[in-house]
């Protein structure tokens, strides 16, 4: 979703199932998440939202569970330089049974796969870079390191899910405690006054996950 920063007026919207990764050279580079599981790189015009091109599907292991946000099972990290976007993905599986597993069952249930894609927004194809071996984390490790840590919370900002500074405006993704709606709003960081607010989802039934940085 693209908004006018001064007024909050929506300029264009795209469908669900897309995970934005980078804004580069007037293009938005995103991943289309599939249950297959596959990843498709989608590039569209940042000014109009129109499609520029989409890659061939990139197959992941059949046990991988892709997600639009970073989870214990799947995470994405993005790097950019002057003309390319590099997308790193990691998929993991864990033991999910109820009873205490045997050491063998625990070992067999823990799997990890990772890959790297290099994207030139000017056009396909997407380059799949050679994999670099990475050991699994210890069995008692916490969340994978690519999952961003939770931001410090405060009583005054209890409904703020994510925020960033854009020029002289603080843009916040927030959850309305009264209605459960998800809103995007622009705040004056000096006075705390509201410049504008746009409702993104008015039918939220649970607290939305924190977005990756």
């Amino acid at each position: 979703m693209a908004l006018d920063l001064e007024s909050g007026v929506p300029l264009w919207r795209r469908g669900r199932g897309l995970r934005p990764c980078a804004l580069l050279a007037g293009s938005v580079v995103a991943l289309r998440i599939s249950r297959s599981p596959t990843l498709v790189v989608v590039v569209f015009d940042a000014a109009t939202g129109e499609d520029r091109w989409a890659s061939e599907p990139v197959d992941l292991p059949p046990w991988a569970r892709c997600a639009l946000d970073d989870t214990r099972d799947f995470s994405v990290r993005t790097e950019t330089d002057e003309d390319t976007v590099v997308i790193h993905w990691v998929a993991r599986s864990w033991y999910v049974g109820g009873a205490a597993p045997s050491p063998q069952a625990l070992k067999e249930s823990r799997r990890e796969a990772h890959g790297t894609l290099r994207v030139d927004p000017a056009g396909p194809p997407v380059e799949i870079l050679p994999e670099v071996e990475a050991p699994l984390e210890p069995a008692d490790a916490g969340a994978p390191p690519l999952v961003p840590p939770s931001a410090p919370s405060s009583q005054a900002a209890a409904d703020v899910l994510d925020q960033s500074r854009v020029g002289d405006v603080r843009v916040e993704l927030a959850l309305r405690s009264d209605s459960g709606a998800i809103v995007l709003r622009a705040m004056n960081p000096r006075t705390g006054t509201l410049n504008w607010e746009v409702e993104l989802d008015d039918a939220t039934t649970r607290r939305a996950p924190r977005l990756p940085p």
Side-chain angles (χ1 to χ4, degrees):
M1 181 178 184
L3 302 174
D4 183 287
L5 190 59
E6 295 297 325
S7 64
V9 173
L11 303 177
W12 51 262
R13 295 173 182 257
R14 293 301 303 261
R16 299 180 182 272
L18 290 173
R19 174 170 176 159
C21 294
L23 175 64
L24 184 67
S27 297
V28 177
V29 178
L31 288 177
R32 178 173 290 131
I33 305 297
S34 169
R35 293 183 179 180
S36 299
T38 59
L39 299 178
V40 174
V41 176
V42 181
V43 178
F44 44 94
D45 188 283
T48 65
E50 295 179 354
D51 284 322
R52 289 189 168 172
W53 57 270
S55 74
E56 294 295 322
V58 178
D59 292 328
L60 274 63
W63 49 262
R65 291 181 288 182
C66 303
L68 291 175
D69 55 292
D70 285 335
T71 68
R72 175 182 170 93
D73 302 313
F74 184 76
S75 55
V76 171
R77 179 170 53 88
T78 305
E79 301 172 357
T80 60
D81 56 25
E82 292 183 356
D83 52 11
T84 60
V85 178
V86 177
I87 301 173
H88 305 272
W89 61 266
V90 177
R92 296 181 174 92
S93 69
W94 315 79
Y95 180 77
V96 294
S102 66
Q104 182 64 24
L106 185 62
K107 180 180 179 180
E108 292 176 352
S109 67
R110 288 180 55 79
R111 292 170 292 191
E112 179 179 290
H114 41 85
T116 303
L117 310 176
R118 179 182 285 140
V119 183
D120 181 350
V126 170
E127 182 181 1
I128 301 177
L129 301 182
E131 294 187 13
V132 178
E133 291 297 329
L136 285 170
E137 297 175 355
D140 58 350
L146 291 183
V147 177
S150 298
S153 60
S154 64
Q155 187 66 28
D159 61 340
V160 175
L161 305 175
D162 197 18
Q163 60 181 325
S164 62
R165 187 73 174 261
V166 183
D168 295 329
V169 176
R170 185 175 73 245
V171 179
E172 298 178 347
L173 184 70
L175 173 69
R176 283 183 182 160
S177 57
D178 55 347
S179 64
I182 298 293
V183 298
L184 190 68
R185 61 193 187 191
M187 307 290 294
N188 185 317
R190 293 185 297 274
T191 64
T193 55
L194 178 68
N195 294 347
W196 52 260
E197 182 178 279
V198 176
E199 191 171 275
L200 304 181
D201 188 350
D202 60 359
T204 302
T205 58
R206 64 178 180 85
R207 190 173 183 85
R210 186 172 300 279
L211 296 181

